[in-house]
Amino acid sequence: MDWRRVLYAVAWVGLPMGIGVQLLHNPPKDPRLYLAYPLFGLLFAWALLQGPRKAPKLLTHALGAYLLFEAWRAGREYFVVGFWSPALYLLAAFAYPLPYALAAGAFWGGLLVLLPLLLGQGGFPFPHYALAQPVLLALSLLLARFREYYGQVRFWREQALTCPLTGLPNRRALEMALEREAARVERGERPFSLVLMDLDDFKKFNDERGHPEGDRLLKEVARYLKEHVRQGDLVGRWGGEEFALLLPATDPLQAERLSERLREGLKALGVSASFGVAGYRGDLEELYRRADGALYRAKEKGKDRVERARET
């Protein structure tokens, strides 16, 4: 999820509502001040029109200027602006990298805190307001940092579990999915089936046409398999030219029929494949061996065929 786009969408609704609420809550005594609100409205609209990439940065400073204006207008009651300052710090935290977010937040927060002195009001009528600003800024930056860290962890986790060539889950990801599916069966769900598929004579194809063509073919096969399995089925790259299909709540006969359809469809891509099908019977290691044995028999019997593991 792109948080800049989320903030951009929320701002279109939130900023006009915020200005409207502030006007109703604390209307200006000087009618000339009503001119300021259309100007701020235009400023916010211009910032929003810059698009979801630039808008959060521009909105940070537009909101800072607006809050400073409201604090000046409120006089000794300027503490009411504190209700809105977390929005300023959040915008800064999500719009900028950490050092710049800290600088932007500290700049506007510092001006809001120092405003009574700048206006000659003789000190801070509400010290807790001043003390709250660095805490709010720190919490906002911490939240953004956690979000950034989570995104990095998620990215590297996905990279570790994905085949970089085909974009399919790799063998480790498939093994984890099989373990989860086995646990579901232990809780009373219907058994699943595993299909191992190996492209026939792929080494010869690579030698004759080159590795770039081999990679292209693997990507085409991966795309075809993803598009022609049921929703909920999982297709992954088992290794080399071998693919695997995890078929939840599917018995071996249904898996065999699906494999036959896939085998026929792959011929349109100019490639044949052999399939080994096995149903889960309570032991994942046995499942791997039986599916691999069925695939081996398919190869022995002339390739381009589907073999189901023996039930005995």
Side-chain angles (χ1 to χ4, degrees):
M1 180 184 292
D2 189 337
W3 286 101
R4 289 185 179 86
R5 294 184 180 276
V6 174
L7 287 169
Y8 178 68
V10 170
W12 272 109
V13 179
L15 288 173
M17 288 181 61
I19 292 178
V21 168
Q22 188 70 2
L23 273 173
L24 293 173
H25 175 72
N26 189 17
K29 297 177 182 179
D30 187 343
R32 291 176 298 178
L33 292 178
Y34 279 103
L35 295 175
Y37 288 100
L39 292 177
F40 276 112
L42 290 174
L43 178 62
F44 288 132
W46 172 79
L48 289 167
L49 289 173
Q50 303 309 303
R53 292 292 173 184
K54 294 182 179 180
K57 297 178 181 179
L58 297 172
L59 285 171
T60 298
H61 301 293
L63 183 59
Y66 171 69
L67 293 182
L68 203 63
F69 166 76
E70 285 293 347
W72 167 76
R73 189 169 72 86
R76 291 185 63 84
E77 300 297 319
Y78 80 105
F79 73 96
V80 297
V81 177
F83 295 119
W84 296 99
S85 60
L88 170 66
Y89 302 140
L90 280 173
L91 266 174
F94 286 101
Y96 287 103
L98 187 60
Y100 296 101
L102 178 61
F107 173 76
W108 289 110
L111 286 178
L112 289 172
V113 168
L114 293 173
L115 186 67
L117 293 177
L118 297 175
L119 295 177
Q121 293 179 344
F124 297 108
F126 299 99
H128 58 279
Y129 167 81
L131 294 174
Q133 299 313 302
V135 175
L136 290 171
L137 175 58
L139 288 174
S140 300
L141 295 177
L142 187 62
L143 175 62
R145 185 61 179 164
F146 275 134
R147 187 266 306 175
E148 181 183 344
Y149 175 73
Y150 171 75
Q152 291 174 350
V153 170
R154 183 178 177 183
F155 171 78
W156 288 113
R157 184 175 181 272
E158 289 176 351
Q159 290 293 104
L161 297 175
T162 303
C163 166
L165 176 64
T166 63
L168 295 177
N170 61 19
R171 181 164 182 159
R172 177 57 185 149
L174 282 163
E175 289 173 342
M176 292 169 62
L178 285 162
E179 290 170 2
R180 289 194 297 269
E181 198 62 31
R184 286 164 55 92
V185 173
E186 296 303 319
R187 294 194 298 268
E189 299 288 339
R190 289 179 55 197
F192 61 94
S193 290
L194 173 66
V195 178
L196 297 182
M197 186 205 89
D198 189 82
L199 299 180
D200 296 328
D201 302 315
F202 183 74
K203 184 177 183 306
K204 181 180 177 182
F205 182 94
N206 254 349
D207 292 340
E208 292 179 352
R209 304 196 186 185
H211 288 285
E213 278 298 304
D215 290 346
R216 181 194 59 78
L217 179 62
L218 288 172
K219 289 189 281 190
E220 282 192 16
V221 169
R223 182 166 54 249
Y224 173 83
L225 293 174
K226 284 176 61 177
E227 292 173 353
H228 291 84
V229 296
R230 304 164 306 178
Q231 186 175 7
D233 294 342
L234 180 65
V235 180
R237 189 176 179 192
W238 198 246
E241 64 271 23
E242 195 170 354
F243 295 82
L245 288 75
L246 168 58
L247 309 176
T250 305
D251 62 44
L253 180 58
Q254 293 171 314
E256 183 179 12
R257 290 171 179 164
L258 173 62
S259 299
E260 284 287 359
R261 292 196 296 270
L262 294 174
R263 184 184 67 83
E264 290 292 337
L266 285 171
K267 289 184 177 180
L269 298 179
V271 64
S272 69
S274 301
F275 294 77
V277 178
Y280 179 68
R281 301 193 304 191
D283 188 327
L284 282 176
E285 288 299 325
E286 182 208 32
L287 177 68
Y288 300 149
R289 289 195 301 269
R290 292 170 59 243
D292 193 59
L295 176 60
Y296 183 76
R297 286 200 311 277
K299 292 288 189 181
E300 275 193 326
K301 291 183 178 181
K303 305 175 183 178
D304 189 23
R305 61 184 296 118
V306 178
E307 283 290 323
R308 183 157 35 118
R310 298 186 178 97
E311 296 303 320
T312 57

